[in-house]
Amino acid sequence: MTPLPSLKTTVGGKAGFLLLLALIVAGLAGNYFRFPVFLNIDFLFGSIFAMLALQFFGLGRGIVATVIIAGYTYTIWNHPYAIIIMTAEVATVGWLLGRRKRGLVLADTIYWLIIGMPLVYFFHYVVMDVSLDNTYIVMTKQAINGITNALVARLIFTGYTLRSRTSLTSYRDIVYNLLAFFVLCPSLIMLAVESRTDFAQMDRHIRSTLVQDSQRINQRLETWVLNRQSAILNLAEMAASRSPLKMQSYLEMAKKSDVSFNTIGLQDREATTTATFPLVDELGQQSVGKNFADRLYIAQLKQTLKPMLSEILMGRIGAPKPIVLMLAPVVVHGEYGGYLFGILRLEQVQEYLDKSVRENTSLYSLLDKNGNVIMTNRKDQKIMAPFARGQGTVKLLDNGISQWVPVVPANTPTSERWKQSVYSIETTIGDPAEWKLILEQPVAPFQKELYGNYTGKLTLLFVCLLGALALAELLSRKIVVSLKQLQTLTHELPNRLDGKNILWPESGINEANHLITNFREMANSLTTKFIELRQVNESLEQRTTELKRLNTELEAFCYAISHEFSAPLARLEAFSRMMTESATIEDNETVAHCAERIEVASQRLRNVVAALLTLNRLSRADMLVSPVNLSEMAQQIVAELLEQDENRRIQITIAPDIVVQGDRYQLEICLRNLLENALKYSSKTDEAAIEFGKLCRDGVETYYVRDNGVGFDMEYAKNLFIPFCRLHSESEFEGTGVGLATVHRIIEKHNGRIWAEAELGRGATFSFTLEIAGGSN
């Protein structure tokens, strides 16, 4: 995997602070608006923005942003361990990016395999005592969540860099991340949809099974109670017209015909037993004659004169044990005359309940009208004690079903709370409702099955993710291998344009193959051109050598001609002065005028010769580089020029302490020519102004001479630095036409450049640079 070109893209100042703040806020929102995959297993998106902060701002501020973003998980899960895990993730990934030059996604995968998943196991299973199956599912989910977020963060950052071009991203990195992303995202969506479906089906199964079991058991118990009630009620009606002695045989017959009774007996108005079967209990004691006037149910029998089920109470016939009685009053002439009782054999009911709930691992509790337990298979309940589940909350669902969730320690995961919860349904038995049947379905067995299914799917997804990353690595290598070969080849191409020993790569990708073909054709064309240019170059070298020879001879000729001109000019000037003086004496104005014109022409020719000599010397002279104060030099030149024209009034501005490195003699010629031109072409009025200064353009010091004179049309600016090419007539402004060409030659020798900006009638500015200058103010 290709590493990042750099650990961060620098974003500073106020914009950087606002971006960091925006990433932190987005990270908190990403943790708040989490995506539920199944049950309470959620995907959080906060680490996407933590990874973006790492890429934008580097390791330090990336960790700070991560701690703040991860802090919200404490309010979700009631424990600080996710903060530690997420911070360790960003720190490790940042270290791998900076020191080991790993790709972001690969670095995050390494973290989760080596550090992240063991940390989740330690904190959940060892520290928080979470069940092993729950730990496995959380561990796998967080690894997938972290790698997915790193992948998304890398894609977002890649999109930003491609748009802003703040840094370069490799083609292989883009291919790698996109391949992994388009494998992972559909898998996650399918997992979320399928897992939610599984949970919904499991939830419906638990509820429907609970409702069906409750209806079936309730109907069976209702029938059983009704049959016992009918038997006791028939005996009570018989006892209204028969003596206890006659009832004895009927009691015996009823007991032997129904195994659901342990004892059947008759009591008179004072609640004294007058007849019973069996007559002797299991302890060998007589049952007839015992009094039960303190029983609370007697008052209700007297009041309602209707059959009823008693509350659970401690029996007095035989060995003391909890019993429940079926009761029916004996009504004589519409008044209470005693009651008939049957001690129910509850073992039969308990066997049926045990058998009914065994397959579904359900819990049952049969309560009397006072809420005391008659029978139960819950180990935390006691017979004859009030039914109580402990501390917890009850959530009402549909179809009479409720869910009870126990109170657990603050750092217990929500999934663990759901595991300890139970679904329950309550029904009543008897008329009126004297018993209550509570059926409960613990979630734990179903959660174990469900989580086993989820763990398998997440593990498969995690393996698929690792496989996708490996496949993306392989495919990205294969896709760009020919491009890398082409990159290496084209880097060396200028040295191999002879067309020999070039082994062009091949690719099975159409676009890459076209690119290789184009480069091959381009190389062949360049090779042909290169051979042609080499031939032309050889010819040019020969011509250049010849031109250099001719140029040397021409310079020598110009130098000789210039010297040869000097002596005749001197004699010509002397004769013109003599003619002027003699003409003045003889008052010959015509001769004097001609002599004056000869002298002016001679002086102008002398100036041209001097300029040519200067230009010739500059072409051959070596440079003597030293510090030169252009400000002092400009002041001295201006003073000399103004002495020649004392009546001239002009405003001169010279910037102080402009010091450069260069040849003093040549720079003085350059500056003198520019200042002479500025004075020559500046306004003749009192508003005339000349300025010499410097400014900095794009980090390069630029020096300038500006005037407010006649200026020129920029259309002719390209002719300024050509020898003897003038923009103004000689009659208007004197000059040799060689000055600016000399300036241009001096600036070139200083590795600089010169240019002019002007407007006709508004003045001109000549600007130049000196590349070997090391100026300072």
Side-chain angles (χ1 to χ4, degrees):
M1 177 66 191
T2 303
L4 290 173
S6 62
L7 178 62
K8 63 178 180 177
T9 295
T10 303
V11 181
K14 184 178 180 181
F17 174 77
L18 293 176
L19 176 59
L20 181 62
L21 183 62
L23 290 175
I24 292 174
V25 172
L28 292 172
N31 285 339
Y32 179 78
F33 296 104
R34 50 194 182 274
F35 176 69
V37 180
F38 49 80
L39 196 58
N40 63 315
I41 302 298
D42 301 328
F43 261 50
L44 276 64
F45 307 110
S47 65
I48 293 177
F49 304 96
M51 289 294 179
L52 285 173
L54 172 66
Q55 294 175 92
F56 276 111
F57 300 101
L59 188 58
R61 283 181 284 181
I63 291 178
V64 172
T66 302
V67 172
I68 299 174
I69 292 171
Y72 182 72
T73 60
Y74 188 86
T75 64
I76 303 174
W77 296 320
N78 299 316
H79 64 74
Y81 306 120
I83 303 175
I84 300 173
I85 293 169
M86 188 173 171
T87 305
E89 177 186 10
V90 172
T92 304
V93 170
W95 180 79
L96 289 173
L97 290 177
R99 298 292 181 90
R100 298 297 179 181
K101 305 302 180 185
R102 305 292 184 186
L104 183 73
V105 179
L106 179 59
D108 197 66
T109 304
I110 293 173
Y111 164 78
W112 280 106
L113 289 175
I114 298 177
I115 301 175
M117 295 178 75
L119 278 179
V120 176
Y121 178 87
F122 173 77
F123 287 134
H124 281 73
Y125 185 69
V126 178
V127 178
M128 295 192 294
D129 196 27
V130 177
S131 62
L132 196 59
D133 55 344
N134 203 349
T135 299
Y136 283 151
I137 199 168
V138 172
M139 182 173 64
T140 310
K141 169 262 168 186
Q142 289 199 17
I144 296 174
N145 196 169
I147 296 173
T148 304
N149 286 353
L151 182 59
V152 173
R154 185 57 188 154
L155 287 173
I156 294 174
F157 184 77
T158 300
Y160 168 79
T161 55
L162 289 176
R163 182 176 180 84
S164 62
R165 298 184 181 178
T166 52
S167 63
L168 296 178
T169 302
S170 70
Y171 178 61
R172 182 181 164 198
D173 187 46
I174 297 173
V175 172
Y176 176 91
N177 292 326
L178 286 177
L179 285 174
F181 180 77
F182 286 113
V183 168
L184 182 61
C185 276
S187 301
L188 282 176
I189 294 172
M190 291 174 62
L191 175 66
V193 173
E194 185 177 353
S195 299
R196 290 182 184 181
T197 303
D198 290 344
F199 174 73
Q201 290 177 349
M202 182 68 73
D203 182 68
R204 286 195 299 269
H205 173 70
I206 294 175
R207 297 190 194 190
S208 62
T209 301
L210 197 59
V211 170
Q212 292 173 6
D213 288 349
S214 176
Q215 292 175 349
R216 175 173 50 82
I217 295 173
N218 183 268
Q219 184 177 3
R220 180 71 178 271
L221 290 182
E222 282 279 4
T223 302
W224 185 85
V225 168
L226 184 60
N227 290 338
R228 308 293 87 74
Q229 181 179 327
S230 298
I232 296 300
L233 184 58
N234 289 336
L235 291 173
E237 291 175 352
M238 293 172 63
S241 58
R242 291 176 176 80
S243 64
L245 184 60
K246 290 182 179 180
M247 286 299 300
Q248 184 65 41
S249 60
Y250 291 105
L251 296 179
E252 181 178 356
M253 188 184 308
K255 167 63 180 70
K256 290 181 178 180
S257 63
D258 192 345
V259 295
S260 298
F261 289 111
N262 284 327
T263 303
I264 299 178
L266 175 64
Q267 293 188 343
D268 60 15
R269 183 186 292 270
E270 285 73 26
T272 300
T273 305
T274 56
T276 184
F277 187 86
L279 293 171
V280 180
D281 59 27
E282 66 266 26
L283 299 179
Q285 298 179 355
Q286 289 288 333
S287 299
V288 176
K290 290 184 177 181
N291 186 267
F292 297 91
D294 58 340
R295 296 296 193 189
L296 298 178
Y297 55 76
I298 295 177
Q300 185 174 352
L301 283 172
K302 289 180 179 180
Q303 182 180 1
T304 63
L305 298 178
K306 292 182 179 180
M308 61 177 287
L309 282 168
S310 73
E311 67 275 12
I312 187 169
L313 43 84
M314 190 62 66
R316 296 179 185 173
I317 298 177
K321 60 182 179 181
I323 61 172
V324 175
L325 296 85
M326 178 62 71
L327 304 168
V330 177
V331 181
V332 180
H333 304 299
E335 294 184 357
Y336 176 76
Y339 66 91
L340 202 73
F341 68 89
I343 300 176
L344 298 174
R345 185 180 178 185
L346 298 179
E347 292 83 354
Q348 196 177 45
V349 175
Q350 190 161 9
E351 289 176 2
Y352 170 73
L353 290 174
D354 288 338
K355 182 179 179 181
S356 298
V357 301
R358 188 176 295 121
E359 295 181 358
N360 298 328
T361 65
S362 301
L363 302 175
Y364 67 85
S365 297
L366 187 62
L367 313 180
D368 66 10
K369 61 184 178 181
N370 295 325
N372 295 321
V373 177
I374 299 174
M375 63 182 65
T376 183
N377 63 347
R378 290 186 55 148
K379 296 180 180 180
D380 59 340
Q381 304 297 323
K382 294 182 178 180
I383 305 300
M384 295 187 66
F387 178 82
R389 291 192 180 98
Q391 293 185 346
T393 58
V394 177
K395 179 181 179 181
L396 297 179
L397 306 177
D398 55 356
N399 295 328
I401 298 176
S402 60
Q403 184 182 16
W404 178 80
V405 182
V407 175
V408 292
N411 62 347
T412 303
T414 309
S415 58
E416 195 67 19
R417 294 184 63 208
W418 185 77
K419 176 183 177 181
Q420 298 178 24
S421 69
V422 294
Y423 287 84
S424 66
I425 186 170
E426 299 180 3
T427 56
T428 57
I429 300 171
D431 186 20
E434 295 161 311
W435 283 358
K436 179 188 295 184
L437 176 65
I438 301 177
L439 280 183
E440 299 174 301
Q441 178 58 65
V443 172
F446 295 93
Q447 190 243 27
K448 184 176 182 180
E449 177 184 352
L450 195 62
Y451 269 33
N453 186 20
Y454 290 160
T455 303
K457 291 180 179 179
L458 276 175
T459 303
L460 179 61
L461 178 60
F462 187 56
V463 172
C464 290
L465 173 59
L466 296 179
L469 293 176
L471 181 62
E473 176 75 11
L474 177 63
L475 291 177
S476 62
R477 284 178 181 271
K478 292 292 184 182
I479 289 173
V480 302
V481 64
S482 57
L483 295 179
K484 279 188 169 293
Q485 293 174 354
L486 188 61
Q487 176 186 357
T488 304
L489 187 61
T490 53
H491 178 72
E492 301 172 353
L493 191 60
N495 300 324
R496 304 172 66 179
L497 281 180
D498 53 4
K500 299 179 181 178
N501 301 324
I502 298 181
L503 182 61
W504 293 96
E506 296 182 355
S507 175
I509 300 175
N510 189 34
E511 289 77 7
N513 198 47
H514 277 304
L515 186 62
I516 294 170
T517 302
N518 291 340
F519 268 104
R520 183 189 294 114
E521 293 176 355
M522 181 186 70
N524 294 335
S525 177
L526 286 175
T527 300
T528 303
K529 296 296 182 183
F530 176 76
I531 294 173
E532 294 176 356
L533 286 174
R534 186 164 55 187
Q535 295 172 350
V536 172
N537 188 48
E538 292 173 354
S539 175
L540 287 175
E541 287 179 356
Q542 296 174 358
R543 295 183 182 181
T544 301
T545 303
E546 182 67 19
L547 286 174
K548 285 182 178 178
R549 184 183 64 80
L550 294 174
N551 186 54
T552 303
E553 294 177 357
L554 182 61
E555 288 180 355
F557 172 75
C558 290
Y559 188 73
I561 290 298
S562 300
H563 275 283
E564 290 299 326
F565 266 131
S566 297
L569 281 174
R571 288 194 294 271
L572 185 60
E573 289 175 352
F575 286 135
S576 68
R577 283 195 296 273
M578 292 173 61
M579 289 176 63
T580 301
E581 292 173 357
S582 62
T584 303
I585 295 172
E586 297 176 3
D587 295 329
N588 192 333
E589 295 181 0
T590 301
V591 174
H593 177 70
C594 292
E596 184 180 356
R597 295 193 64 181
I598 291 173
E599 185 175 0
V600 171
S602 300
Q603 183 62 40
R604 182 173 300 170
L605 184 57
R606 177 175 290 281
N607 291 338
V608 172
V609 170
L612 285 173
L613 287 173
T614 300
L615 189 61
N616 184 62
R617 283 195 300 271
L618 288 175
S619 300
R620 295 184 297 170
D622 295 330
M623 291 179 58
L624 299 176
V625 179
S626 64
V628 179
N629 192 320
L630 294 182
S631 299
E632 295 179 355
M633 183 179 287
Q635 291 173 355
Q636 182 177 355
I637 292 171
V638 169
E640 293 175 2
L641 295 174
L642 290 180
E643 284 180 1
Q644 302 172 11
D645 189 359
E646 296 179 354
N647 297 325
R648 186 79 180 275
R649 298 185 62 183
I650 189 168
Q651 182 180 350
I652 307 293
T653 303
I654 299 176
D657 298 327
I658 300 178
V659 181
V660 302
Q661 294 287 334
D663 187 294
R664 176 178 295 277
Y665 171 70
Q666 295 184 18
L667 291 177
E668 183 177 0
I669 294 174
C670 172
L671 195 57
R672 183 179 293 277
N673 274 291
L674 292 176
L675 290 172
E676 281 182 349
N677 284 347
L679 284 168
K680 183 195 308 182
Y681 296 112
S682 62
S683 174
K684 299 295 184 180
T685 67
D686 292 341
E687 297 179 356
I690 297 176
E691 181 183 358
F692 171 63
K694 79 168 184 176
L695 51 83
C696 188
R697 292 181 177 177
D698 299 328
V700 178
E701 289 187 354
T702 302
Y703 313 96
Y704 63 89
V705 174
R706 181 181 295 127
D707 64 70
N708 64 346
V710 297
F712 55 84
D713 193 333
M714 285 298 292
E715 180 181 354
Y716 306 106
K718 59 184 179 181
N719 300 325
L720 283 173
F721 305 106
I722 300 176
F724 305 109
C725 185
R726 298 173 56 88
L727 302 186
H728 303 280
S729 65
E730 292 186 14
S731 61
E732 185 179 2
F733 295 100
E734 296 181 356
T736 63
V738 183
L740 287 180
T742 304
V743 170
H744 186 264
R745 181 71 59 85
I746 292 172
I747 296 300
E748 279 188 336
K749 294 195 70 173
H750 283 75
N751 297 326
R753 66 186 187 93
I754 184 169
W755 68 96
E757 297 171 313
E759 185 178 352
L760 193 62
R762 302 293 294 273
T765 300
F766 285 82
S767 303
F768 61 92
T769 62
L770 303 171
E771 292 299 325
I772 63 171
S776 62
N777 286 339

